[in-house]
Structure formats: C-alpha cells, structure tokens
Amino acid sequence: MFNLSELQHDALVEIFNIGVGHAAKSMSEIVNEEVTMSVPSISFLNRAEAAEMLGNKDSARVCGVSQHYEGAFKTEAILMFPEDKSLDIVRLMVGESVPLKELTEMEQEALSEIGNIILNSCVGTLANIFAQELSGSLPEYHVGTSEEILSATGGQGYTVVLMLHIDFILEKHQIHGYVAFILDLTALQDLQDQVDRYLAKIMGPA
C-alpha cells in the first residue's frame, strides 16, 4: 500500500487540520452552537479496507455526500456519517421545533449542504496552500453500506482511498465522520508532488 514519508504525512495532516478548522467555523454559524473538530487522522487504504473501517462488516448503513474535483489533482471526495446520526445532524441545523416528517424530507438537502461545506473547506485549503486550482462539482447524496457508497463513486482501475477520520464535537453531541478521497495512481503522484513542493517552499533549500 502507498506510503508517505513522516514529513509528508505530517504536512498533509496539518493542511487538512486547517481545512477542518474552517469547516468547524462554518458549521458553528449554521447550528448556532460551537462546533469543534478533532485533528484528523489520515491513512491510505484500498476500497475494501476503507469499507471495513467504516463498519461494512456489520452492514451498517451510512449517508454519504460526494463531489468530483479536478485541477492540481483529480479526486472524488466523500463525506460519510453513520445513517443513525444523520437526523441528529439535520436537527442541529434546523432546530428542535421541526416535526420528524419534515425533518426527514429536509435530510438530503441539509446533509448535502454540510457535505459541501466540509469537503470544500478541506479541498479549498489544499488548493490555497498548494497555490493551485481545484474546481468541484455539485454535491451528490448517497445512502447505503460503506462498500456501496465507495463503489458508487466510479473510478476504474487501481485506486487508493485517502481516509480522514474526524470527530465532530458539539456541546451535546459527538459524531464520528469520515472524509474519503478516491485517488488513482496519477492523482496520488500529483498529490505527493504538491506536498513536496509545499515542503520545499516552507523549509527552504536543504
């Protein structure tokens, strides 16, 4: 499986941590409650390993929001939550007074908005730090097992999943979420090259 050097790994964690911080600030404004997000842990997995990490062995259903990005590198980014937490997240956005039936009808739109905020915060931070363009598609909403969602995003041939594990911590809730970036070998090399350029810029000549 693909491995980064310790320096490359730490740089990516730091970049994503900045993106997650931007996402937490945006989420706080929406739910009118302070949202903090843990420093993300990252790992490179194949799709089967990624699905297992998300609990596929229990056939647990997850909600996913995906977006395609192109530019400095090409990737499919997917935000995933356990399905049983999805209505909790929607209720945080719209308030306690909305009836359950209306809440369910709003679920897809609300989660797509959250996905859009979090994915664009992560990807936008990458683009800014790398000084590169990364443009994204409109968000798509999926529900199914983690394996179904990771497979539904297309991409033929050998791919690697860059997994970010993030805890969303609110005053009364703690929700575990994952962001997955599906990368083929070309995109993986492009990402590694961008990280190396970033490190060279901040560290200067050896």
Side-chain angles (χ1 to χ4, degrees), residues 47 51 54 56 60-66 76 78-81 140-154 180 182:
R47 288 190 197 232
L54 286 158
N56 195 57
R61 286 165 63 81
V62 296
C63 292
V65 179
S66 67
E76 172 96 6
I78 318 163
L79 172 71
M80 287 169 281
F81 290 111
E140 293 181 33
Y141 179 75
H142 313 269
V143 179
T145 64
S146 52
E147 189 171 38
E148 287 166 350
I149 289 175
L150 287 167
S151 300
T153 55
I182 313 292

Side-chain angles (χ1 to χ4, degrees), residues 160-180:
V160 170
V161 183
L162 165 54
M163 289 285 282
L164 269 66
H165 178 200
I166 307 166
D167 288 332
F168 302 80
I169 303 152
L170 297 94
E171 195 177 333
K172 299 168 188 164
H173 302 80
Q174 183 167 355
I175 298 161
H176 303 281
Y178 287 90
V179 177

Side-chain angles (χ1 to χ4, degrees), residues 27 39 56 60 64 72 88-89 91 101 110 112 114 116 120 122 146 159 176 178 193 200 203:
M27 288 274 289
V39 175
N56 195 57
D88 288 351
I89 299 166
R91 190 170 285 288
K101 183 177 183 295
S112 293
I114 289 172
N116 192 40
N120 282 337
C122 289
S146 52
T159 54
H176 303 281
Y178 287 90
D193 289 346
M203 296 176 74

Side-chain angles (χ1 to χ4, degrees), residues 80-139:
M80 287 169 281
F81 290 111
E83 188 184 27
D84 61 359
K85 294 288 186 184
S86 60
L87 285 178
D88 288 351
I89 299 166
V90 178
R91 190 170 285 288
L92 285 170
M93 287 184 71
V94 299
E96 296 290 336
S97 58
V98 177
L100 183 63
K101 183 177 183 295
E102 285 181 38
L103 203 65
T104 306
E105 290 167 0
M106 299 168 76
E107 182 178 4
Q108 182 169 336
E109 186 180 338
L111 288 173
S112 293
E113 184 180 344
I114 289 172
N116 192 40
I117 290 167
I118 292 172
L119 296 177
N120 282 337
S121 292
C122 289
V123 173
T125 301
L126 283 174
N128 289 338
I129 285 177
F130 294 156
Q132 297 285 332
E133 289 289 322
L134 275 167
S135 54
S137 64
L138 291 172

Side-chain angles (χ1 to χ4, degrees), residues 37-62:
M37 297 189 189
S38 62
V39 175
S41 60
I42 67 172
S43 49
F44 289 88
L45 309 165
N46 61 40
R47 288 190 197 232
E49 289 168 337
E52 189 171 331
M53 178 184 274
L54 286 158
N56 195 57
K57 58 183 179 296
D58 303 322
S59 298
R61 286 165 63 81
V62 296

